Amino acid sequence: MSTWDVGTKGATAHTRRALPLVAATAVLAAGCGGGSGSGTAAGEGKLADGKTFTMAYASDPGNLDPAKTVMSIAIGVNRYLYDPLVHLDGKGEPRAGLAQKWKATTKTATFTLRPGLTCSDGSPLTASDVAANIDYIGDPGNKSPLAGVLIQPGTTAKADDARRTVTLTSGAPDAFLLRNAGSVPIACGKGLKDRSVLAKGGKGSGTGMFTMTEAVTGDHYTLTRRKDHTQGPGASEGGAKGLPDKVTIRVIPNETTAANLLVSGELNASAISGSEQKRLAAQKLFHADVQAPLGGLYFNQGGSRPGAAEEVRRALVQALNLPDVGKVITNGTGKPSQGLVTDEPRACTGDSVTGNLPEHDLAAAKSALSKAGWKPGSGGTRTKNGKKLTLSLMYGTQNGPSMAAGAELIQKQWQSLGAEVKLKPVDSPALNSTLFGSGNWDVSMGPIALAAPNQLVPFMSGPTPPKGLNFSGVDNPDYTALVQRASAKVGAEGCPQWQDAEKALVKNLDAVPYYNSLTPVFGKGARFKVSQGAIVPSSIRMYAN
């Protein structure tokens, strides 16, 4: 699996930055809130039916099986194709999705489906279909990347088709069981028996507002609205006037090209993260903003890697002017991180970062390394027991030239400390295979996006790849103990303990979140809402001009 959307090799000065993703598939928890908007409707005309909403993504979504992907672009596409059991409003409160009623503890949850639901092929959506989705993710043998994130391994579900109820028993206590299980994208029909159907867009097997009618890999995807589908945040507002009949998703890696197509009206929506923001903002285009954790560092703590020693991690972080790095990677449009959970609406709020990362002090960092046995050597590179302090620093090429510039700044500051740093630009598949396959890495700049704190747990504790998702090899007893305490409480009751658990990671430098980006999703000829990193399909409204 891959939790970062970092794009393709060979990024140029005009390559688009994808929204970072997603250690968790928090993006899947659709809501009607989230995302600020600006601009006016002046000049856009009246709401119009029968139109096509055309949007751009920076790369192809790849495998679209909703239980097999955590790639942000695939999740964004799947929002059109599959509905969850519950949506989240702007405050994070559950609202009716496929389910009309629910109740949950930390161990069990029961959902009652709306009457008359159908799959996109017209067949009835049954409670058994929903249970099959839960069981598939909960079965460790299926190796779903959603296991341990939205659904705990070992979770099972029982269906009562006559009563339209699904009751699941979690494989482990889940403080946010309702929110997480309710956010699973539900497939049905043939796709549940043949998942290759889902991998290609789930034709006839969707539960969402749209169905896939054309897929040209690497170029475009066409989706057609189901006229029998009326639920979803904002779906019935104003009698649903202005909902598009079709959605075309175009693959456009070049941000300047995407900006030009927005200006000309050939695109209705595109996320723009680089210098083109100023040009589009000057035209007073509508935009909804997405906060994402672009600035984060993770150290490989396996074996004899430098990051296995806490004193080395501390010296490396202390040697960095993190605010300066953050400003570089976000083009000066971001802000300092306050926690590891960034996707709105967040399950817990608070600040677990401020005061818990070491302040920039190069002299103190040098002294600490010397005390730890890393002595200055010939050529300026420190050595210990005959071994050089050599680091590889991975960063995502699709995050554009500003990420490369940020990596170069980190390289320069670590070289001043006495480390030999090799930059390793990678695309998304390479990052995936390195972190969860070969394990041949030292430091990763790949960001992780979360909506609930327990979605981080499998990535910061437990088994390492290939048996688990703990890619850094973190072993933090304080974090584990606090997670156990927090997991015993339902929802927000455990937020103080979840905050303390995050602090334990940050203080030990198991995770170093330092800067968030604010990326506008610009729109022209259309309005929409953004929730947890993706456009909410039922919120789209098209204008005549």
Side-chain angles (χ1 to χ4, degrees):
M1 58 111 17
S2 176
T3 59
W4 292 265
D5 193 357
V6 293
T8 55
K9 282 187 176 181
T12 68
H14 299 292
T15 300
R16 299 180 58 210
R17 174 187 296 150
L19 300 178
L21 175 72
V22 186
T25 47
V27 186
L28 295 173
C32 61
S36 60
S38 68
T40 67
E44 290 178 323
K46 297 180 179 180
L47 289 172
D49 292 329
K51 302 198 75 173
T52 296
F53 177 73
T54 304
M55 63 175 293
Y57 276 129
S59 71
D60 190 84
N63 187 341
L64 288 169
D65 184 335
K68 287 290 190 179
T69 184
V70 287
M71 297 299 296
S72 62
I73 292 175
I75 289 169
V77 175
N78 282 340
R79 287 279 288 272
Y80 293 90
L81 304 176
Y82 305 100
D83 275 354
L85 288 165
V86 298
H87 296 287
L88 299 178
D89 66 15
K91 296 181 179 180
E93 295 298 323
R95 297 291 180 261
L98 296 174
Q100 64 179 10
K101 293 191 300 183
W102 50 82
K103 59 181 179 180
T105 65
T106 61
K107 189 67 176 179
T108 64
T110 299
F111 299 91
T112 301
L113 301 183
R114 296 172 184 258
L117 294 174
T118 61
C119 301
S120 53
D121 64 0
S123 62
L125 173 67
T126 66
S128 294
D129 290 333
V130 175
N133 283 266
I134 304 297
D135 285 340
Y136 182 85
I137 299 170
D139 183 350
N142 293 324
K143 298 181 179 180
S144 169
L146 304 191
V149 179
L150 293 185
I151 296 295
Q152 297 299 316
T155 296
T156 58
K158 292 184 178 180
D160 186 328
D161 289 331
R163 295 185 177 182
R164 307 192 312 278
T165 58
V166 180
T167 300
L168 64 89
T169 301
S170 183
D174 184 344
F176 301 97
L177 181 59
L178 173 60
R179 180 183 179 121
N180 290 332
S183 298
V184 171
I186 301 299
C188 54
K190 295 184 295 184
L192 294 180
K193 297 180 180 179
D194 180 3
R195 302 199 77 89
S196 68
V197 173
L198 302 180
K200 298 175 183 177
K203 187 174 183 179
S205 298
T207 54
M209 180 169 277
F210 291 81
T211 186
M212 185 78 72
T213 50
E214 184 180 31
V216 181
T217 302
D219 187 78
H220 73 275
Y221 294 79
T222 301
L223 300 83
T224 301
R225 181 161 61 93
R226 298 171 53 192
K227 297 300 175 67
D228 63 333
H229 186 290
T230 57
Q231 69 265 17
S236 59
E237 292 175 4
K241 181 73 174 178
L243 277 170
D245 279 356
K246 291 186 177 181
V247 170
T248 298
I249 297 170
R250 296 178 59 180
V251 180
I252 304 175
N254 187 286
E255 187 171 89
T256 298
T257 300
N260 289 338
L261 293 175
L262 272 169
V263 172
S264 70
E266 293 179 62
L267 282 180
N268 298 115
S270 181
I272 302 291
S273 59
S275 59
E276 295 292 346
Q277 284 186 23
K278 293 182 180 179
R279 175 160 67 106
L280 298 177
Q283 298 198 22
K284 298 183 179 180
L285 292 186
F286 163 82
H287 60 89
D289 298 335
V290 178
Q291 178 177 255
L294 195 61
L297 294 173
Y298 298 89
F299 296 91
N300 188 342
Q301 300 183 36
S304 60
R305 299 277 175 178
E310 188 272 339
E311 62 267 24
V312 174
R313 298 197 302 274
R314 186 161 300 278
L316 289 170
V317 174
Q318 197 168 29
L320 297 177
N321 189 326
L322 290 175
D324 282 356
V325 177
K327 291 172 185 176
V328 169
I329 65 174
T330 64
N331 287 303
T333 62
K335 60 182 181 180
S337 298
Q338 292 188 331
L340 289 159
V341 178
T342 58
D343 283 341
E344 298 288 352
R346 292 178 290 167
C348 293
T349 58
D351 188 346
S352 62
V353 177
T354 303
N356 293 318
L357 290 177
E359 300 215 359
H360 175 51
D361 189 333
L362 181 59
K366 288 181 177 180
S367 177
L369 277 185
S370 295
K371 290 179 180 178
W374 290 96
K375 305 298 184 181
S378 60
T381 302
R382 292 176 179 270
T383 61
K384 182 178 181 179
N385 299 327
K387 181 180 178 180
K388 288 185 175 182
L389 181 55
T390 302
L391 301 164
S392 64
L393 177 63
M394 288 197 302
Y395 67 91
T397 53
Q398 189 166 320
N399 286 330
S402 63
M403 183 62 80
E408 290 168 1
L409 179 56
I410 291 176
Q411 179 188 44
K412 181 179 179 180
Q413 293 180 356
W414 280 350
Q415 285 173 339
S416 297
L417 179 65
E420 182 180 294
V421 184
K422 299 177 181 178
L423 298 183
K424 188 176 180 181
V426 294
D427 61 11
S428 184
L431 182 60
N432 176 58
S433 62
T434 301
L435 293 179
F436 298 98
S438 72
N440 186 21
W441 63 284
D442 292 314
V443 187
S444 172
M445 294 175 68
I448 303 176
L450 303 159
N454 68 334
Q455 294 173 346
L456 182 65
V457 173
F459 298 90
M460 291 288 120
S461 63
T464 59
K467 294 183 179 180
L469 301 177
N470 184 4
F471 62 92
S472 291
V474 173
D475 183 10
N476 188 322
D478 290 340
Y479 176 71
T480 300
L482 286 161
V483 164
Q484 289 178 343
R485 289 175 56 194
S487 297
K489 299 183 178 182
V490 179
E493 291 180 10
C495 282
Q497 287 73 39
W498 286 114
Q499 284 290 299
D500 288 343
E502 279 193 28
K503 290 177 183 178
L505 290 175
V506 175
K507 287 180 178 179
N508 201 48
L509 304 175
D510 297 318
V512 183
Y514 62 92
Y515 229 73
N516 293 339
S517 66
L518 197 64
T519 300
V521 183
F522 284 98
K524 185 171 184 180
R527 291 293 188 97
F528 44 81
K529 294 180 181 179
V530 171
S531 176
Q532 297 179 304
I535 290 174
V536 180
S538 54
S539 74
I540 299 171
R541 294 296 183 269
M542 304 296 298
Y543 289 86
N545 296 329

